[in-house]
Amino acid sequence: MTPRRAPPALHLFAVALASTLAAGCSDGEATSELVEFTIPAGATFAEVTDTLVARNLVGRPLIFRTYARLRGDDREVRAGSYEVPGDAGWGALLDQLVAGRMVTFPLTIPEGFTLRQIAARITAFAELDSIQVEAELLETGVEEEWEVPGPGLEGYLFPDTYFFAPGVGLESIVGTLVEAYRSFWTPERRVAAEARGLSEREVATLASIVQAEAVLDAEMPMISGVFHNRLRLGIPLQADPTVQYALGERRSRLLYADIDSVADHPYNTYAQAGLPPGPIGAPGRAALEAVLNPADVPYLYFVARPDGTHIFSSTLDQHNNARIQARREWDEIELRDEEGS
């Protein structure tokens, strides 16, 4: 026999009565200080209530359970870590548990981070072993699962600051970062990429190189302009960060021997023409915009100075002179450091 449902008026009366009882039941000398607690996955509402009683958030468990059941909340509580005022009313407490307004912590992914560096940041939030996180992020063919150009997820986990609850899960984190990357690609930006004869992968790849080369966002359009000029003329990019990526580690000073040691590597833009197969890190919004909107400059070369700016040149002779000037400035910095130590 199907149980009879209570008439709407009777149900509303029961909720009103439970609300009145809840309001009249003091939970002791509660204060406004924040109380932290965790609701485990799969916990029954009785277990949830026991947790709240133990934290002095609920003082009349039977009435509380009745109140929650009449509100329809006893099966809607979400697992997770919470932080609530000690004097929160039962209604506000249940609202937070049902909405899943959990304690969150910032996860910052800096521009230019490689997938391995991002994996290390994600590990604490995903509550997984770092080796496992890295293995899943670097899994062959993972770009198909997440519908990004690839190869892999390198360059497609968008750098920004996010807020996650501990134990949120790797899939949820990756999904959020990938979605942030996808949100960059408005129809207007896709048209801009097509107008420059670049695919989405090529834009992300070149942007990752611009990101790695630039210290100042203001110089990104000029650096992008240099690379666009070299690609148009068929000149190798000769971007040091791509060699560092091929080497698998960053070195304070890149030597010719380092470049030669990975001569056959597809990411070595000294030895290989055109763009590498994919991004070398996570480009930020400014770098992506710089690739879509490069500065119209005559330059083909640039060299870094100690203050983070670059000297741009149009000819090889100018570039060689710029390298001498930059080297002199770097030597002066090193000399001052040695004298000060």
Side-chain angles (χ1 to χ4, degrees):
M1 179 181 295
T2 303
R4 296 173 57 190
R5 298 185 61 185
L10 181 58
H11 178 75
L12 291 175
F13 173 75
V15 173
L17 177 61
S19 298
T20 301
L21 289 171
C25 291
S26 171
D27 286 332
E29 298 179 0
T31 69
S32 60
E33 292 184 6
L34 294 176
V35 178
E36 297 179 3
F37 61 93
T38 299
I39 303 300
T44 66
F45 193 73
E47 292 170 332
V48 171
T49 302
D50 289 343
T51 297
L52 300 178
V53 169
R55 297 297 188 280
N56 294 319
L57 292 168
V58 168
R60 301 291 189 277
L62 180 58
I63 297 176
F64 177 75
R65 288 198 297 270
T66 302
Y67 174 59
R69 184 167 60 254
L70 290 172
R71 278 175 45 127
D73 290 342
D74 58 326
R75 296 180 181 273
E76 303 296 329
V77 171
R78 299 188 185 184
S81 298
Y82 292 89
E83 190 175 71
V84 301
D87 57 1
W90 288 1
L93 178 58
L94 285 168
D95 287 344
Q96 185 164 343
L97 295 177
V98 169
R101 294 194 295 271
M102 306 170 197
V103 175
T104 59
F105 297 93
L107 169 62
T108 298
I109 308 298
E111 289 89 349
F113 255 36
T114 65
L115 204 55
R116 284 188 167 86
Q117 290 174 308
I118 293 173
R121 289 282 177 103
I122 288 177
T123 296
F125 285 82
E127 294 186 354
L128 294 172
D129 181 85
S130 60
I131 296 176
Q132 183 181 353
V133 172
E134 188 171 308
E136 293 196 29
L137 294 183
L138 296 171
E139 184 180 2
T140 302
V142 69
E143 68 273 13
E144 297 177 5
E145 177 186 350
W146 292 104
E147 298 180 347
V148 293
L153 289 175
E154 188 76 86
Y156 305 109
L157 301 184
F158 200 71
D160 204 343
T161 295
Y162 304 86
F163 290 85
F164 294 107
V168 66
L170 181 59
E171 184 173 348
S172 179
I173 295 173
V174 173
T176 300
L177 271 60
V178 168
E179 186 56 37
Y181 163 79
R182 289 201 193 103
S183 70
F184 172 84
W185 285 102
T186 61
E188 294 77 14
R189 287 176 174 136
R190 292 194 181 279
V191 169
E194 185 177 352
R196 296 202 173 275
L198 297 173
S199 67
E200 180 183 335
R201 177 189 295 188
E202 289 171 331
V203 171
T205 299
L206 184 52
S208 72
I209 298 173
V210 171
Q211 184 74 66
E213 291 278 17
V215 174
L216 306 177
D217 286 2
E219 285 196 344
M220 285 185 177
M222 292 181 67
I223 292 174
S224 175
V226 170
F227 286 137
H228 275 281
N229 290 342
R230 294 179 77 94
L231 288 170
R232 176 171 50 82
L233 296 172
I235 302 172
L237 294 184
Q238 297 185 330
D240 288 1
T242 64
V243 178
Q244 303 273 20
Y245 189 79
L247 289 168
E249 62 179 355
R250 289 199 62 81
R251 301 184 182 180
S252 58
R253 183 178 296 184
L254 198 63
L255 305 176
Y256 287 115
D258 297 324
I259 298 172
D260 291 341
S261 71
V262 287
D264 296 330
H265 198 287
Y267 283 78
N268 184 338
T269 57
Y270 277 84
Q272 312 297 330
L275 288 166
I280 61 171
R285 189 176 304 276
L288 289 163
E289 290 283 11
V291 170
L292 295 176
N293 301 283
D296 184 9
V297 293
Y299 306 128
L300 293 173
Y301 308 90
F302 59 86
V303 62
R305 305 172 67 184
D307 64 358
T309 62
H310 292 79
I311 304 172
F312 294 86
S313 305
S314 301
T315 68
L316 183 57
D317 285 342
Q318 292 173 351
H319 179 56
N320 287 334
N321 290 332
R323 290 175 61 189
I324 293 172
Q325 177 184 339
R327 185 66 261 166
R328 187 182 301 118
E329 293 178 13
W330 282 106
D331 289 341
E332 290 174 357
I333 294 290
E334 291 176 3
L335 180 61
R336 284 202 296 269
D337 288 345
E338 290 175 1
E339 291 175 349
S341 60

